[in-house]
Each structure stands twice: as C-alpha cells, then as structure tokens.
Amino acid sequence: MCSHRPSCPGPDTVPAHVVAARPEQGWYLLCDGAIVFDDTGELLPDGRAVGPRRVAAGALTIAA
C-alpha cells in the first residue's frame, strides 16, 4: 500500500510513516493503511484490531 520510496518494511519492524494525523482526536493513519491510537491500540488494514498495550500498575514509578 505504500507508494513512497524506499517502501516501508514489513510488519513487526519499524512502523510505517504517518500520512494523516488527528492528534486532537487521538489517531494517526499510517502509509500501510493501519490506524494507530494514542492508547497504543491499532486497527489494521485487514480489519483486525490490536488492543492497547497496558503497563501493569506495579510497574509504574511514582515520583516523590
């Protein structure tokens, strides 16, 4: 789906380039057709959804 050169790498590598951004709405369209959301969830071009990658509460650091 990418039309630029050099073309983007395949899945599971460096992400594709952003071609449209709506940060006020919390989403970005990538050149490979995926939509990435601020919460790290994704909608893939084939219609599959990837859930957000959440960090366990115990793994968070609290500033003193």
Side-chain angles (χ1 to χ4, degrees):
M1 187 167 180
C2 298
S3 61
H4 55 83
R5 296 288 176 234
S7 60
C8 290
D12 302 324
T13 58
V14 178
H17 300 282
V18 174
V19 294
R22 295 291 183 257
E24 69 279 2
Q25 296 177 351
W27 61 268
Y28 301 85
L29 174 64
L30 303 181
C31 62
D32 64 359
I35 300 172
V36 180
F37 297 95
D38 283 347
D39 69 354
T40 69
E42 299 177 39
L43 288 177
L44 302 177
D46 63 4
R48 292 181 295 140
V50 177
R53 294 169 206 68
R54 306 270 187 217
V55 176
L60 298 175
T61 304
I62 299 173

